[in-house]
């Protein structure tokens, strides 16, 4: 072809080729310019479908007019019937070639990703999905402009006749999971591929790799990529968030559009170029386009493999769920705790620990159909409970606060003397044969011989205890269920400092293990239903709900979609009744007048209310509202939160934010016109907060300030922001952040900038000691005049005028005034509130809001879940 002339194009050189075409550089003799000619491969010329697809590419792209999408000049045909497209030719190199020479700087990668996303946004708005976004299809010109090439796999929405059912098109390492499975695609598949490209740019490696394409596709569908922070030091949390969100296996958890992704990409670019929080990498250089050759035969083989994998791993669960399954909340006239309840093998009875109206604990059995209730024996505290498969015995494990251990005992189902089995054990369960009991050592107050988490079993007479296996990889989670044949155990393993859990299947005879789930989730409890189903409670969707997965492997299926936290779960032998507990935590606000020595409740709804903050004039309260969680006092809810403001008596409540994020404590500006708050997405870690400021007069437009969590305001323009345990001063006008004090201190200005209050975090120092220095003195003078505040353990809260409240215990709170350090104890009779409270002082220190926490537990039956 080189040297020949086709129409008015003289072929100069071959640039590359792929499964959908061969590309040459040619000179347009009519308009005196170089172009790129793409020819349909000779062996596909006779295919009407491929010819139609080729023309469709040209029509799709020619409909777009965007700076980041290659220009289409015309479609032509050679005398021997070969189709070609004349496209713009760009001096530069492919992104793949750049990456081969070294990973890109984050700021450069962000700029390229922004241009790709802008091109995709234009395509998606015109109903076009690219379906083959990869670094080899991206050109970066000599002027730094990005061009998206090769829309040969693109299609307009609804243009389905050209794609065979189940066909997988694209390049394996960049495919989305749904594309690898041959499912229907939308724009979120392109965003996944862009996430792969971004990961590749900043690490120099692809997130999903394998020795052959089938292995790569399996990795795409089933495995998580190596965390980006493992490849780059000092990584930006914004970059971690963007990549994690684009590479979510479930399309519903990714960005909904390129426009949404662009918001975060532009924030990343701004962050890396202005705030100093950025990582570095080698620069990118120039090169020419080189395309991979794809074997048509190999594609066909991979297609067959994917179809087989799809049938084996992704299809069978959906056919076994009964669409008419029912959910029923049990009506129980007791206060029950969330510790593990039990259900009988025939599903007719449940057993649980509960408290009567006098506050006395007992072990109760209830008929799940008739609702009749009886107490089997009294208890000293809440207990985990299980019922033997034959229904003859109850197993319960309750805390012994005198020995700081847990006592496990068995008792006849109909009552009688209990028999203690063993001390220091947790989460007991009958083995399917009914003659042994499994339990866990090495967790909580139950030490193990190895110091690791171990599974043990003991005979129901308390004899022959022996160890089943040691989980040396577990970092702190536990929970287990035996298979119906008693040969395997489904086991919860904690990873990454116990922030992520996975389910493994452990063979009790051979010791072989198989990972069943590998998502980024927290798993509380599980049970093995029938021969091949595992039901479990997980926050995979953001809030703890019930999920089911085949014990043979495959995609988990979400069963419940509640707004409250599902906790423990047990099932009947036939799996037709599944019992789970649902824990609802909520909080209420109490306004305490310190001088008047009075208190009153000001909120009454059962919702999670966090971090109340008085306005400077004391007339209003800003606060955060989140979805109910299992433990509202922990502030670890994974559901969305929003910012509200109300009058100090609880009236005139109004909402200021309307997002789907997790928020931090709000901070009022001194003039009462603005509120600073932190926000992160539901899927991000706690170190990913970003600071925003909202104007009360214009709440619909919060202003992004910087990374971190906001703290006290200094004046109407500046306030503190905590980033990685270090306090900075930032301005709403965009000035460069400055550090408050020395390294290894946690410091903040008080009373404007007159004083600095700090903790010394140096090794060997007592981090609970607080010091105060003059803020306007030189550093050497500050250290000579540093004064230690009266040391009292507990939480510290600052009021707007520089008073500090020390929360010492449930009945003792002290107020320390600055800068003189005067100590004053709040009268005890003002504090007649129940446990689990936190406090927030008003700016003048005369009022305090207490947050009171409470929990309610429900037991819920799922009936006829499986066909």
């Amino acid at each position: 072809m080189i040297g020949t002339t086709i129409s008015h194009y003289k072929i100069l050189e071959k640039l590359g080729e792929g499964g959908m075409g061969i590309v040459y550089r040619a000179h347009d003799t009519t308009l005196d310019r170089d172009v790129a000619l793409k020819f349909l491969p000779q062996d596909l010329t006779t295919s009407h479908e491929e010819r139609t697809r080729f023309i469709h590419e040209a029509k799709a792209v020619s409909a777009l007019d965007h700076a980041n999408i290659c220009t289409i000049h015309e479609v032509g045909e050679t005398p021997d019937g070969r189709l070609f497209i004349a496209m713009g030719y760009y001096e530069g190199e492919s992104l793949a070639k750049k990456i081969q020479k070294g990973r890109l700087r984050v700021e450069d990668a962000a700029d390229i990703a922004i241009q790709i996303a802008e091109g995709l946004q234009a395509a998606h708005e015109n109903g076009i999905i690219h379906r083959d976004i990869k670094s080899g299809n991206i050109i970066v010109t000599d002027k730094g402009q990005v061009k998206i090439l090769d829309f040969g796999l693109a299609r307009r929405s609804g243009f389905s006749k050209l794609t065979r059912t189940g066909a997988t098109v694209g390049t394996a390492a960049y495919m989305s999971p749904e594309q690898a499975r041959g499912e229907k695609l939308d724009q979120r598949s392109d965003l996944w591929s862009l996430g792969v490209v971004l990961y590749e740019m900043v690490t120099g490696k692809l997130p999903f790799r394998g020795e052959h394409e089938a292995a790569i596709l399996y990795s795409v569908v089933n495995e998580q990529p190596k965390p980006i922070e493992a490849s780059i030091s000092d990584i930006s949390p914004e970059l971690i968030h963007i990549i994690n969100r684009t590479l979510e296996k479930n399309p519903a958890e990714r960005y909904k559009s390129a426009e949404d992704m662009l918001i975060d990409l532009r924030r990343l670019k701004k962050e890396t170029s202005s705030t100093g929080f950025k990582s570095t990498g080698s620069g990118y250089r120039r090169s020419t386009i080189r395309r991979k050759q794809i074997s048509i035969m190999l594609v066909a083989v991979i297609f067959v493999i994917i179809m087989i994998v799809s049938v084996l791993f992704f299809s069978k669960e959906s056919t076994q769920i009964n669409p008419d399954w029912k959910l029923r909340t049990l009506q129980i006239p007791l206060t029950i705790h969330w510790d593990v309840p039990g259900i009988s093998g025939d599903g007719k009875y449940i057993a649980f620990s509960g408290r009567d109206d006098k506050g006395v604990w007992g072990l109760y059995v209830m008929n799940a159909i008739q609702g009749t209730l009886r107490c089997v024996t009294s208890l000293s505290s809440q207990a985990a409970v299980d019922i033997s498969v034959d229904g003859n015995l109850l197993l319960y494990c309750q805390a012994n606060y005198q020995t700081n251990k847990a006592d496990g005992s068995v008792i006849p189902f109909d009552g009688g003397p209990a028999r203690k089995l063993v001390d220091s054990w947790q989460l007991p369960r009958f083995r399917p044969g009914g003659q042994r009991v499994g339990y866990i050592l090495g967790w909580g107050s139950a030490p193990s011989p190895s110091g690791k988490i171990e599974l043990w079993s003991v005979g129901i007479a308390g004899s022959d205890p022996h160890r089943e296996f040691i989980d040396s990889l577990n970092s702190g989670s536990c929970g287990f269920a035996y298979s119906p044949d008693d040969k395997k155990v489904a086991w919860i393993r904690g990873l990454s400092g116990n922030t992520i859990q996975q389910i493994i299947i452990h063979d009790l005879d051979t010791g072989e293990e198989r990972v069943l789930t590998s998502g980024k989730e927290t798993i509380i409890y599980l049970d093995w239903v029938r021969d091949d189903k595992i039901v479990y409670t997980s926050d995979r969707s953001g809030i703890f709900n019930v999920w089911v997965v085949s014990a043979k492997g495959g995609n988990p299926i979400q069963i419940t979609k509640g707004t409250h936290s599902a906790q423990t779960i047990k099932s009947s032998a036939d799996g037709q009744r599944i019992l789970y507990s649902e824990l609802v935590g909520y909080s209420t606000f109490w306004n305490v007048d310190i001088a008047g020595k009075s208190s009153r409740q000001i909120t009454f709804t059962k919702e999670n209310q966090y971090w109340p903050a008085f306005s400077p004039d004391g007339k209003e309260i800003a606060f955060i509202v989140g979805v109910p969680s299992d433990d509202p006092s922990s502030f670890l809810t994974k559901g969305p939160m929003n910012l509200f403001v109300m009058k100090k008596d609880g009236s005139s409540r109004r909402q200021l934010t309307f997002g789907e994020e997790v928020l931090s404590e709000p901070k009022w500006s001194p003039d009462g016109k603005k509120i600073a708050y932190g926000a992160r997405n539901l899927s991000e870690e706690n170190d990913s907060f970003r600071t925003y400021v909202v104007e009360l007069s214009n709440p619909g437009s919060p202003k992004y300030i910087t990374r971190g969590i906001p703290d006290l305001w200094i004046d109407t323009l500046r306030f503190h922001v905590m980033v990685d345990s270090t306090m900075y001063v930032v301005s709403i006008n965009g000035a460069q952040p400055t550090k408050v004090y020395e390294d290894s201190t946690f410091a903040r200005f008080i009373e404007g900038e007159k004083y600095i209050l700090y903790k010394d975090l140096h090794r060997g120092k007592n981090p609970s000691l607080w010091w105060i220095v003059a803020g306007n003195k030189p550093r050497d003078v500050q250290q000579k005049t540093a004064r230690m505040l009266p040391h009292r353990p507990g939480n510290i809260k600052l009021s707007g005028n520089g008073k500090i409240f020390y929360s010492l215990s449930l009945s003792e709170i002290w107020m320390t005034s600055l800068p003189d350090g005067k100590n004053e104890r709040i009268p005890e009779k003002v504090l007649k509130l129940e446990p689990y409270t936190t406090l927030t002082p008003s700016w003048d220190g005369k009022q305090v809001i207490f947050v009171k926490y409470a929990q309610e537990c429900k037991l819920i039956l799922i009936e006829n879940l499986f066909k």
Side-chain angles (χ1 to χ4, degrees):
M1 293 281 293
I2 297 175
T4 62
T5 299
I6 295 176
S7 182
H8 53 283
Y9 301 108
K10 182 178 181 179
I11 307 298
L12 302 177
E13 65 174 318
K14 182 178 178 179
L15 296 176
E17 64 181 291
M20 279 302 297
I22 304 172
V23 183
Y24 295 87
R25 182 169 71 91
H27 186 72
D28 184 342
T29 57
T30 300
L31 298 178
D32 192 25
R33 63 183 177 184
D34 283 355
V35 298
L37 293 186
K38 179 179 177 181
F39 291 83
L40 191 68
Q42 184 68 44
D43 56 344
L44 296 182
T45 302
T46 57
S47 168
H48 173 74
E49 180 178 351
E50 298 300 345
R51 288 171 63 91
T52 306
R53 184 192 299 276
F54 196 73
I55 295 174
H56 169 242
E57 173 192 5
K59 290 181 178 180
V61 183
S62 63
L64 304 174
D65 182 15
H66 193 274
N68 298 121
I69 297 176
C70 67
T71 302
I72 298 297
H73 299 311
E74 72 168 310
V75 176
E77 186 173 357
T78 65
D80 60 353
R82 295 186 64 186
L83 292 171
F84 67 87
I85 298 177
M87 304 180 291
Y89 173 76
Y90 307 104
E91 291 288 345
E93 62 184 351
S94 72
L95 183 55
K97 194 66 175 180
K98 291 182 180 294
I99 296 171
Q100 287 177 5
K101 296 185 177 183
R103 62 185 179 90
L104 278 60
R105 296 181 300 167
V106 171
E107 49 266 50
D108 295 332
D111 180 68
I112 291 173
I114 287 171
Q115 294 187 61
I116 298 172
E118 288 175 340
L120 288 177
Q121 181 183 8
H124 295 165
E125 288 175 350
N126 283 274
I128 299 169
I129 304 170
H130 190 287
R131 298 203 296 176
D132 197 22
I133 291 294
K134 59 183 178 181
S135 56
N137 277 343
I138 306 297
I139 290 292
V140 181
T141 71
D142 291 345
K143 295 181 180 180
Q145 188 175 42
V146 168
K147 297 287 184 179
I148 304 174
L149 307 178
D150 202 355
F151 274 78
L153 299 174
R155 64 173 176 84
R156 287 187 179 273
S157 300
F159 199 95
S160 59
K161 293 184 179 179
L162 298 184
T163 303
R164 293 179 297 275
T165 301
T168 55
V169 290
T171 305
Y174 299 83
M175 281 186 183
S176 64
E178 61 271 26
Q179 190 174 7
R181 292 193 292 264
E183 298 173 351
K184 184 178 179 180
L185 306 181
D186 60 20
Q187 69 273 10
R188 293 171 296 184
S189 182
D190 281 349
L191 300 183
W192 165 286
S193 301
L194 177 51
V196 174
V197 171
L198 180 56
Y199 184 106
E200 184 185 16
M201 283 193 287
V202 297
T203 67
K205 301 177 182 178
L206 286 165
F208 304 101
R209 300 186 290 275
E211 295 181 358
H212 47 77
E213 292 201 34
I216 294 173
L217 292 174
Y218 178 85
S219 177
V220 167
V221 173
N222 295 283
E223 297 175 348
Q224 295 297 323
K226 182 179 180 181
I228 191 171
E229 53 266 40
S231 302
I232 308 176
S233 60
D234 192 27
I235 188 64
S236 162
E238 189 67 39
L239 176 61
I240 295 174
H241 158 66
I242 293 171
I243 289 178
N244 286 346
R245 189 168 179 186
T246 55
L247 298 185
E248 289 284 355
K249 303 289 188 188
N250 184 354
E253 297 178 9
R254 294 179 215 149
Y255 292 100
K256 293 181 176 62
S257 66
E259 182 178 10
D260 290 341
M261 186 176 178
L262 276 167
I263 294 173
D264 285 350
L265 284 171
R266 288 166 180 153
R267 183 184 297 137
L268 172 65
K269 183 179 180 181
K270 178 181 178 181
E271 175 186 284
T272 55
S273 63
S274 62
T275 67
F277 304 123
K278 60 185 178 180
S279 60
T280 58
S282 58
Y284 58 87
R285 307 178 181 92
R286 299 178 182 177
S287 182
T288 57
I289 301 176
R290 184 173 66 87
R291 307 287 300 278
K292 293 182 180 180
Q293 184 176 13
I294 301 176
S295 167
I296 301 301
M297 182 62 70
L298 182 58
V299 170
V301 172
I302 292 173
F303 167 70
V304 173
I305 292 173
I306 293 171
M307 290 301 97
I308 294 174
V309 171
S310 298
V311 170
L312 290 177
F313 292 101
F314 308 108
S315 300
K316 56 175 67 176
E317 287 89 349
S318 61
T319 62
Q320 296 182 7
I321 299 297
N322 181 3
D324 298 322
W325 65 271
K326 297 179 181 180
L327 202 67
R328 177 163 60 94
T329 300
L330 300 178
Q331 302 301 313
I332 302 174
L334 296 169
T335 300
I336 56 178
H337 193 269
W338 71 268
D339 273 346
V340 188
I343 186 169
S344 61
D346 59 11
K348 293 181 180 180
Y349 295 92
I350 64 169
F352 56 91
S353 61
R355 285 188 298 185
D356 60 19
D357 55 3
K358 297 180 181 179
V360 178
W361 284 101
L363 173 61
Y364 289 86
V365 169
M366 177 175 160
N367 188 304
I369 301 174
Q370 299 173 354
T372 54
L373 184 73
R374 64 182 176 87
C375 182
V376 178
T377 187
S378 61
L379 298 174
S380 60
S381 65
Q382 68 270 17
V385 185
D386 198 28
I387 305 177
S388 61
V389 175
D390 60 13
N392 292 328
L393 291 175
L394 295 174
L395 168 67
Y396 63 96
C397 179
Q398 61 179 332
N400 187 327
Y401 294 109
Q402 294 181 343
T403 63
N404 195 30
K405 296 180 180 179
D407 299 335
S409 304
V410 291
I411 189 172
F413 183 84
D414 294 327
R419 181 172 62 251
K420 183 177 177 181
L421 294 183
V422 69
D423 289 327
S424 297
W425 66 325
Q426 297 286 340
L427 300 176
R429 301 197 73 154
F430 283 106
R431 293 191 69 157
Q435 298 305 304
R436 295 188 67 81
V437 170
Y439 59 98
I440 294 173
L441 295 180
W443 178 73
S445 61
S448 68
S450 68
K452 305 290 185 180
I453 292 179
E454 302 176 0
L455 177 64
W456 285 66
S457 69
V458 63
I460 58 174
S463 60
D464 187 29
H466 67 262
R467 183 168 56 199
E468 305 286 358
F469 73 94
I470 302 174
D471 186 4
S472 59
L473 301 177
N474 203 321
S475 61
S477 288
C478 54
F480 67 99
Y482 292 103
S483 62
D485 62 8
D486 207 14
K487 294 180 179 180
K488 298 180 179 67
V489 63
W491 180 261
I492 298 175
R493 173 175 289 161
L495 303 173
S496 303
N498 201 32
T499 59
I500 299 174
Q501 284 80 45
Q502 63 181 197
I503 299 174
I504 65 168
I505 302 297
H506 182 96
D507 192 303
L508 294 173
D509 293 328
T510 66
E512 294 181 354
E513 290 186 352
R514 175 167 49 85
V515 176
L516 195 61
T517 65
S518 56
K520 187 177 181 181
E521 60 188 321
T522 300
I523 299 172
I524 295 180
Y525 208 73
L526 81 173
D527 201 12
W528 199 315
V529 183
R530 293 178 173 176
D531 294 331
D532 64 346
K533 297 296 181 187
I534 307 293
V535 291
Y536 64 102
T537 52
S538 165
D539 65 348
R540 190 184 184 97
S541 61
I543 298 174
F544 287 101
N545 270 289
V546 176
W547 293 72
V548 62
V549 65
S550 170
K552 299 176 183 178
N555 274 355
I557 298 174
Q558 185 174 351
I559 302 302
T560 64
K561 297 184 179 181
T563 58
H564 297 158
S565 181
Q567 299 285 306
T568 58
I569 190 165
K570 292 279 188 69
S571 64
S572 60
D574 61 4
Q576 290 309 302
R577 284 191 177 156
I578 297 173
L579 174 71
Y580 73 94
S581 61
E582 185 179 80
L583 195 63
V584 181
Y586 61 92
S587 53
T588 53
F589 292 164
W590 294 68
N591 194 343
V592 179
D593 183 343
I594 296 176
K597 300 180 178 61
S598 62
S599 63
R600 66 189 182 97
Q601 185 175 349
I602 60 174
T603 64
F604 298 88
T605 56
K606 289 185 177 180
E607 61 187 2
N608 270 1
Q609 300 169 342
Y610 297 89
W611 297 302
F614 279 105
S615 62
D617 60 10
K619 295 181 179 180
E620 291 187 299
I621 298 169
F623 60 103
I624 304 297
V625 174
V627 297
S629 70
D630 55 323
D631 184 9
S633 63
S634 70
F635 306 114
L636 295 179
T637 178
K638 295 194 175 183
M641 301 176 175
N642 277 292
L643 175 63
F644 289 77
V645 170
M646 65 182 176
K647 292 183 179 180
K648 71 174 184 177
D649 61 1
S651 64
S652 303
R653 170 169 153 168
R654 65 187 189 277
Q655 188 170 344
L656 300 185
T657 67
F658 299 86
E660 294 288 322
E661 298 175 304
V662 175
L663 306 187
S664 72
E665 185 174 358
K667 302 290 182 178
W668 290 83
S669 63
D671 59 8
K673 296 181 179 180
K674 297 177 287 292
I675 296 175
Y677 64 94
R680 65 169 174 81
N681 290 317
L682 299 179
S683 59
E684 293 179 315
E685 301 297 332
N686 281 332
D687 59 358
S688 302
F689 276 97
R690 294 167 291 277
T691 292
Y692 298 85
V693 170
V694 60
E695 298 268 358
L696 271 73
S697 61
N698 184 27
S701 302
K703 181 180 181 180
Y704 169 74
I705 304 298
T706 186
R707 173 190 165 204
I709 298 176
D711 200 79
L712 295 179
W713 287 71
I714 299 172
D715 51 43
T716 57
L717 296 178
R718 297 176 301 154
F719 58 92
H720 300 83
V721 171
M722 185 174 68
V723 181
D724 299 332
S725 299
T726 300
M727 198 72 79
Y728 291 82
V729 175
V730 301
S731 171
I732 61 175
N733 292 333
Q736 186 74 11
T738 59
K739 189 180 297 185
V740 173
Y741 203 43
E742 300 172 349
D743 292 335
S744 300
T745 61
F746 179 72
R748 48 163 72 91
F749 288 110
I750 56 173
E751 293 194 15
E753 294 175 280
K754 291 182 180 179
Y755 303 97
I756 297 175
L757 179 70
Y758 72 95
K759 281 185 180 181
D760 194 337
L761 304 179
H762 283 92
R763 183 175 299 177
K765 299 289 185 179
N766 187 340
S768 64
L769 296 179
W770 286 91
W771 298 78
I772 186 169
V773 297
N776 54 2
K777 302 289 185 182
R779 291 297 163 91
D780 57 341
V781 176
Q782 289 177 348
Q783 287 301 311
K784 293 177 182 179
T785 60
R787 292 184 294 109
M788 184 177 71
L789 295 181
H791 170 58
R792 296 183 179 277
N795 297 322
I796 182 173
K797 294 288 291 187
L798 272 72
S799 61
N801 68 343
K803 290 186 176 181
I804 305 173
F805 284 72
Y806 289 90
S807 175
L808 302 184
S809 67
L810 296 176
S811 60
E812 186 176 346
I813 297 178
W814 288 74
M815 179 173 64
T816 302
S817 300
L818 292 179
D820 56 16
K822 179 182 177 182
N823 251 7
E824 177 184 356
R825 181 175 175 178
I826 298 178
E828 185 175 344
K829 61 182 179 180
V830 178
L831 308 173
K832 297 297 184 181
L833 297 173
E834 293 186 15
Y836 309 110
T837 58
T838 60
L839 63 86
T840 299
S842 62
W843 282 51
D844 60 10
K846 295 181 180 180
Q847 300 177 78
V848 172
I849 295 180
F850 283 90
V851 185
K852 175 182 173 182
Y853 303 102
Q855 292 176 324
E856 292 181 353
C857 182
K858 298 178 180 179
L859 296 184
I860 302 172
L861 269 181
I862 298 175
E863 298 177 299
N864 301 317
L865 179 62
F866 303 112
K867 291 183 179 179

